[in-house]
Amino acid sequence: MEQTFIMIKPDGVHRNLISEIIGRFKCSGFHLKGLKVLNAERSIAEKHYEDLAGKRYFPALVGDITSGPVVVVAMVWEGDNVIVNCRKIIGASDPSKWEPGTVRADYAIEIGRNVIHGSDSIESARKEIALWFPEGLFGWKCNLY
Ligand code: IDP
Ligand code: MG
């Protein structure tokens, strides 16, 4: 089954949006395979966003994720088509394209403070899960479906 990595960024944590945002993923068919709160280390944040290393906003982006004594909430969800479905729940990163009903439409302030990250492909999900959960995932299987 497909897995995706979801992260509530520091702005979402600081605004007490953790429970509200996790609640958006309680769709039937999604299973929670990992959940933790941690300080994001710079090396992990840089590796996470390495594809964007050439962008002018890269230092600000890494700075945001690692700024001060902040935390991120990292989650792994598993399910059929979970990557694309979670991206739909999250919404577009570009403010001019925020779709109503998405997490970002409801809570993002601007593109640089858009409260949440979600993997965009199977490859990036694999990379991000390995990066943020080097200890491995919670090993259980839902027996209700
Ligand atoms: P995504 O988060 O929707 O996948 P990406 O294009 O992968 O969007 O960009 C990663 C993150 O980089 C965005 O969520 C946002 O925090 C930041 N970002 C993207 N474009 C800009 C920009 O033009 N200015 C400032 N930050 C940006
Ligand atoms: Mg992205």
Side-chain angles (χ1 to χ4, degrees), residues 4 9 23 25 28 33 42 53 65 73 83 85 88-89 91 99 104 111 119-120 126 129 131 133 137-138 140:
T4 192
K9 297 181 184 180
F25 296 90
S28 126
K33 302 304 288 279
R42 175 163 292 269
I65 298 289
V73 178
I83 293 174
N85 286 329
K88 283 185 201 153
I89 291 169
E99 304 97 338
R104 283 173 169 164
I111 194 164
S119 310
D120 61 7
R126 278 203 194 107
I129 291 167
L131 187 63
F133 286 88
L137 298 175
F138 185 51
W140 72 289

Side-chain angles (χ1 to χ4, degrees), residues 29-55:
F30 285 10
H31 307 299
L32 188 62
K33 302 304 288 279
L35 177 67
K36 65 182 178 183
V37 179
L38 74 164
N39 287 298
E41 282 174 30
R42 175 163 292 269
S43 59
I44 306 262
E46 285 173 351
K47 180 89 183 143
H48 176 88
Y49 282 123
E50 65 187 351
D51 294 352
L52 302 174
K55 303 281 187 191

Side-chain angles (χ1 to χ4, degrees), residues 63-133:
D64 171 64
I65 298 289
T66 58
S67 57
V70 295
V71 291
V72 296
V73 178
M75 294 176 264
V76 173
W77 291 92
E78 185 175 88
D80 288 338
N81 295 319
V82 71
I83 293 174
V84 69
N85 286 329
C86 284
R87 292 282 292 193
K88 283 185 201 153
I89 291 169
I90 289 170
S93 47
D94 179 347
S96 67
K97 296 185 185 139
W98 285 343
E99 304 97 338
T102 62
V103 173
R104 283 173 169 164
D106 287 352
Y107 296 115
I109 294 170
E110 57 178 21
I111 194 164
R113 282 184 293 174
N114 59 11
V115 303
I116 189 164
H117 164 84
S119 310
D120 61 7
S121 66
I122 288 174
E123 297 71 42
S124 53
R126 278 203 194 107
K127 172 194 141 183
E128 291 163 8
I129 291 167
L131 187 63
W132 293 92
F133 286 88

